Amino acid sequence: MPGQLPEGEPVPVDGALPPSVRAAVGERGFGVYVHVPFCASRCGYCDFNTYTATELGGGASREEYADTVLAELKLAATVLGERPPRLVDTVFVGGGTPTLLEVDDLARILAGIADTWGLAPDVEITTEANPESVDPHYLRRLRKAGYNRLSLGMQSTAPAVLEILDRRHTAGRATAAAAEARDAGFDHVNLDLIYGSPGETAEDFAASLAAVIASGADHVSAYALIVEEGTRLASRMRRGELPFPDDDVAADRYLAAEAMLGAAGFDWYEVSNWARSPAARCRHNLLYWTGGDWWGLGPGAHSHVGGVRWWNVKHPTEYAKRLLAGESPAYAREVLSVADRHLEDVMLRVRLVQGLPLAVLDDAGRSGAARALAGGLLRRDAYMDGCAVLTLRGRLLADAVVRDLVP
Ligand SMILES: C[S@@+](CC[C@H](N)C(=O)[O-])C[C@H]1O[C@@H](n2cnc3c(N)ncnc32)[C@H](O)[C@@H]1O
Ligand code: SF4
């Protein structure tokens, strides 16, 4: 069972936003996130809001799910008003395992978003997928329904690592699915890697990177394994059955990723993300990282519109129950203060390749930036041009740089 939601201020039963908010919607892009809370089985390291079939009672089944999401979309249209905030720039369906839904359900959800707000001509439409949950036929139908970007959870090519992570796919399946997605006509394909897992060797990770590079994917996300409280993996580590991750190993793996991906023509554009070209960058995630607006549909989904953030009730049954009663599924919200927005802006934007203008920092933050520069964590050329941009060493220590910039 995933962890608890944060507390916040209550949301009106009809989900209405404070009046000041609507005027500011869409200034920096408008996206839609759809959470699909189903998985065939739970991976031992994962604490995302997802459930297996046996965990869910009536009202929240996979078969009913698309209609429940469409009911929230209807409510969203009322909350944001008759006039759409602007055409939708990005749609991202994440999970859980979205591809456990029938293609027709994913198609209906997308058509509902298009009918409600309209899609921008160059809209990016991503769905996450588990490698074993798709085949060429499924992918062709998904592409035909309008999805143009696929993000596959590959994690590793080492069989022993896949087993420790409880993944259901075999070593070659993720890259095969990436090739099938290309054949089906997807414009962009991402592969997710996790590094620093127990038992993973430097050679294992190099082999995973080589497989990604050869696969035809044009985007890679590589994250160090996070040991989440309350997961099966955390218990196994606490009992001493598996070693905890080692920071020095994680740093070595990151350097290996940069070296191999860089040599193969992938450039970093966010600390944990590399793309073959600027057009292959994930525009939905960039919208999150640059203060855009998005509506998050689904249980536990977070939204951010015009400086207000809210999050839905977490359990799919409670989520469906509220919508069936004609009520907002929002659990709580917070109106971000100027200080909150500044902290978030610095935290997210300094991780991007274009960095952060020094002018947005206060005096203490500018002193911190000078310290980070002296420590070799910021690029001197960019600093001279008035921008805080991480060096490779700075990317390894990005959290420390943020503490310098927002003391
Ligand atoms: C939550 S999953 C959803 C997509 C899909 N179900 C999958 O597993 O591929 C999205 C990505 O989050 C990453 N992730 C989840 N839990 C993580 C953890 N504890 N540490 C590092 N990465 C994690 C994995 O790389 C995964 O591909
Ligand atoms: S398949 Fe993805 S979402 Fe599901 S449990 Fe595994 S990592 Fe989490």
Side-chain angles (χ1 to χ4, degrees):
M1 175 75 182
Q4 294 306 304
L5 287 170
E7 295 303 323
E9 59 181 63
V11 178
V13 164
D14 63 0
L17 290 166
S20 60
V21 164
R22 273 179 29 198
V25 173
E27 276 171 7
R28 282 192 259 182
F30 181 60
V32 180
Y33 173 74
V34 184
H35 188 69
V36 179
F38 309 116
C39 284
S41 55
R42 177 176 280 281
C43 308
Y45 58 90
C46 177
D47 84 336
F48 279 65
N49 189 33
T50 187
Y51 304 81
T52 56
T54 52
E55 290 175 292
L56 287 178
S61 67
R62 282 181 207 167
E63 292 70 30
E64 293 160 306
Y65 191 66
D67 286 320
T68 313
V69 165
L70 290 171
E72 187 186 355
L73 187 60
K74 205 164 157 203
L75 177 126
T78 312
V79 169
L80 290 185
E82 284 293 303
R83 197 175 56 84
R86 64 183 260 162
L87 296 176
V88 173
D89 297 294
T90 63
V91 177
F92 193 105
V93 184
T97 306
T99 41
L100 282 182
L101 294 183
E102 298 292 334
V103 175
D104 287 347
D105 286 337
L106 291 172
R108 278 198 307 129
I109 292 171
L110 180 57
I113 295 167
D115 289 347
T116 304
W117 288 310
L119 303 177
D122 63 344
V123 62
E124 172 193 275
I125 305 169
T126 306
T127 183
E128 289 185 333
N130 286 35
E132 74 287 356
S133 68
V134 291
D135 62 24
H137 178 62
Y138 187 100
L139 291 170
R140 276 197 302 274
R141 291 176 61 220
L142 203 56
R143 179 69 193 95
K144 208 162 155 225
Y147 289 81
N148 56 24
R149 185 172 183 274
L150 192 76
S151 176
L152 289 154
M154 169 172 168
Q155 323 314 354
S156 175
T157 45
V161 174
L162 290 172
E163 194 182 327
I164 285 207
L165 295 179
D166 299 323
R167 299 297 296 188
R168 297 170 73 92
H169 61 271
T170 51
R173 179 60 207 144
T175 47
E180 290 165 8
R182 283 300 205 188
D183 287 347
F186 280 81
D187 299 336
H188 302 293
V189 178
N190 167 60
L191 290 170
D192 281 341
L193 290 178
I194 291 182
Y195 56 85
S197 301
E200 181 200 65
T201 63
E203 291 72 28
D204 288 336
F205 187 54
S208 299
L209 289 164
V212 167
I213 290 165
S215 72
D218 60 359
H219 189 286
V220 187
S221 299
Y223 287 94
L225 176 69
I226 301 167
V227 181
E228 303 282 4
E229 277 305 316
T231 58
R232 214 162 49 238
L233 182 76
S235 315
R236 292 181 72 187
M237 288 179 170
R238 209 154 288 122
R239 286 199 301 269
E241 287 171 29
L242 294 172
F244 281 97
D246 178 307
D247 287 348
D248 292 335
V249 169
D252 285 348
R253 298 283 188 272
Y254 185 86
L255 294 175
E258 173 57 26
M260 282 185 68
L261 293 172
F266 285 85
D267 291 322
W268 78 286
Y269 70 99
E270 194 274 347
V271 168
S272 302
N273 289 275
W274 289 259
R276 269 203 199 272
S277 69
R281 295 174 180 175
C282 177
R283 286 168 47 212
H284 186 80
N285 283 339
L286 282 167
L287 186 138
Y288 290 158
W289 299 328
T290 55
D293 293 313
W294 72 91
W295 192 293
L297 301 164
H302 286 234
S303 300
H304 172 267
V305 175
V308 179
R309 186 172 26 221
W310 70 91
W311 43 98
N312 285 347
V313 291
K314 204 154 189 177
H315 201 279
T317 311
E318 176 65 13
Y319 170 78
K321 201 170 112 197
R322 291 228 196 163
L323 285 162
L324 278 174
E327 294 175 8
S328 161
Y331 175 76
R333 76 180 178 200
E334 60 184 347
V335 179
L336 299 172
S337 67
V338 173
D340 292 337
R341 290 176 87 160
H342 176 67
L343 174 64
E344 207 154 277
D345 199 42
V346 173
M347 273 173 59
L348 297 172
R349 279 169 69 196
V350 80
R351 294 173 60 89
L352 300 177
V353 68
Q354 59 270 44
L356 181 82
L358 293 169
V360 306
L361 300 173
D362 59 16
D363 287 349
R366 277 200 282 270
S367 305
R371 267 197 313 279
L373 176 74
L377 305 181
L378 293 180
R379 274 176 45 185
R380 184 162 295 279
D381 53 346
Y383 188 87
M384 292 307 168
D385 289 340
C387 228
V389 176
L390 296 171
T391 57
L392 181 54
R393 191 173 133 74
R395 284 153 62 191
L396 292 171
L397 297 169
D399 293 343
V401 176
V402 169
R403 285 194 292 276
D404 271 337
L405 301 186
V406 199

